[in-house]
Amino acid sequence: MDPLLLHPMEKNDMKQQASKFRSWYKTLVGRLGGILSQVSLERIVKGIEKGQLKEATDEIERSLQRSKNATLNVAVIGQSGSGKSSFINVLRGIGHEETGSASVGVVPTTTKKTPYPHPKCPHVTFWDLPGTGTPKSLPNPYQELVGDDKYDFFIIISSSRFSSNDALLAQEIQENGKKFYFVRTKVDSDLYNEKKSKPRSFKKETVLQQIRDNCLINLSRIVSEPTVFLVSNFEPKKFDFLKLQETVLQELPDEKRYTSVLLLPNLSESFIEMKRDIIKEKVWLQAFKAAILAFFPIMPLCCVFNLSEQEECLKLYQGHFGLDEDSVSQIAQELGTSEQEITSLMKSTDFNSLVEDDSTIANVKKFAEIIFSITGLPQSSVFQFYKVYFLHLKFIDTVAEDAKRVLAKIEEMK
């Protein structure tokens, strides 16, 4: 990310500045996509080209608001007893015995469609839909559900071979213009049973491929090039869970991606990097918008540096990366260690050292002097604006690295 994009735009060279915006924005966006839709990006670029800077900033603000307020409704559907409820708990990042978790049992527990909001974001809801074969299921339980515009996409679950009905369901979903994903649960149980029954000939990768092939037998007859994701409901990092999450994120509408990325569990360094990228993108867009508005006489650049507000921002970033106080306490409890041992890995707990970091102050002075020399804006206001901007980048990087160290510790102790 190049902060030089925040330099004032020369009025006689707006097309070049618009081209720079497009190029720099593309370097910001992670491999799964970013906050701006292609339509919004083109509107912003067009606004800059024509010198209509207020229109460009308005489009940035609309995109940021859409990403902030976006709702996501995920339908989880499949055969009775396939593990839908426990899979929903994994997606929500909560234990099967925690308050508010989806009911899990040895007998079918889902008899009607039940919403389960994400505990950290009520805008995101997972719907546990009744499986076929349950006593209270309708003769055709999916016909009405598939046509419900409420659901953004469907996850079709099975704990064994997918049936022809599953394939027909997917076909109907596709005809209604929705995405679907086939998920095969309880894979670890299959591996355990196979290893126990055939200890000498057992080969993990061979068995996994056999499970995939078995799942595709009925699907391939109806669905074109189906993909099946193998998962464990109790150890999400195993098998294809990470690949499933990445695939869903890549195919989501742009305005729904930001919140969905923030809710990713810290299961891998790649997930942590996804969060870092999209949070930085948001901060960059906010800063770019503020920098443009600074060139309007009635909207001077003014950013008062308030320590308590910045400390709250740091805590917000810690929450995004699963390092808030409650999360740290839960991690320590699960590992059977003290909270102090976890926080000792975190540099973001030292707020004062981050604020007083010399490299941050040096960057701030450099860019404040450039803006002041061109615009004549009060140097103190410019300095404070850049101090907040660079400090937030420092916060994000520090918390992301903390999350990686904590992840490594979790893997080591488990």
Side-chain angles (χ1 to χ4, degrees), residues 171-344:
Q171 188 178 55
E172 192 168 349
I173 292 171
Q174 193 170 40
E175 288 174 355
N176 278 270
K178 300 291 181 68
K179 292 283 186 180
F180 61 86
Y181 304 92
F182 291 113
V183 173
R184 170 62 156 79
T185 59
K186 303 183 180 180
V187 176
D188 34 13
S189 298
D190 291 337
L191 289 174
Y192 173 81
N193 293 333
E194 188 73 13
K195 186 175 183 178
K196 188 174 182 180
S197 62
K198 302 175 183 177
R200 289 183 296 177
S201 61
F202 174 80
K203 291 183 180 180
K204 179 180 176 181
E205 292 305 318
T206 300
V207 176
L208 289 175
Q209 188 58 51
Q210 289 173 347
I211 294 173
R212 292 183 198 277
D213 293 341
N214 190 43
C215 287
L216 295 173
I217 289 175
N218 289 318
L219 297 179
S220 300
R221 297 170 184 166
I222 300 173
V223 181
S224 176
E225 299 181 357
T227 299
V228 175
F229 297 91
L230 309 184
V231 303
S232 165
N233 288 2
F234 299 98
E235 295 185 61
K237 197 169 182 178
K238 282 186 173 182
F239 315 125
D240 299 332
F241 185 78
L242 304 186
K243 183 181 177 182
L244 170 65
Q245 293 275 47
E246 290 188 14
T247 303
V248 170
L249 288 170
Q250 196 163 26
E251 296 180 350
L252 277 176
D254 299 285
E255 69 272 10
K256 295 179 182 285
R257 187 174 294 117
Y258 178 75
T259 298
S260 300
V261 171
L262 294 187
L263 296 179
L264 285 174
N266 290 345
L267 296 177
S268 69
E269 288 197 0
S270 66
F271 277 17
I272 294 171
E273 286 300 323
M274 288 179 210
K275 289 186 183 182
R276 190 207 303 248
D277 288 344
I278 206 161
I279 295 172
K280 278 191 169 184
E281 178 191 345
K282 180 180 180 180
V283 170
W284 186 88
L285 286 170
Q286 289 172 326
F288 181 80
K289 183 190 72 170
I292 291 179
L293 293 177
F295 298 98
F296 291 89
I298 60 171
M299 303 183 75
L301 182 72
C302 183
C303 184
V304 179
F305 188 80
N306 184 298
L307 275 177
S308 62
E309 287 182 4
Q310 303 315 311
E311 191 167 13
E312 286 303 310
C313 286
L314 176 58
K315 290 180 180 179
L316 177 65
Y317 295 140
Q318 288 174 332
H320 289 336
F321 285 92
L323 295 179
D324 53 280
E325 291 182 2
D326 289 342
S327 297
V328 168
S329 177
Q330 184 177 349
I331 292 170
Q333 186 176 359
E334 290 176 356
L335 296 179
T337 187
S338 65
E339 293 180 25
Q340 289 73 19
E341 184 170 358
I342 303 301
T343 55
S344 68

Side-chain angles (χ1 to χ4, degrees), residues 30-49:
R31 58 191 176 85
L32 298 181
I35 294 172
L36 296 182
S37 67
Q38 189 61 37
V39 172
S40 291
L41 177 60
E42 293 305 321
R43 286 175 179 168
I44 295 166
V45 169
K46 187 175 181 180
I48 297 172
E49 284 180 349

Side-chain angles (χ1 to χ4, degrees), residues 10 36 40 49 53 66 94 97 155 166 191 198 201 231 255 345 383:
E10 300 175 8
L36 296 182
S40 291
E49 284 180 349
L53 301 185
R66 282 195 295 266
I94 65 175
E97 295 180 324
I155 294 177
D166 294 321
L191 289 174
K198 302 175 183 177
S201 61
V231 303
E255 69 272 10
L345 303 169
F383 181 86

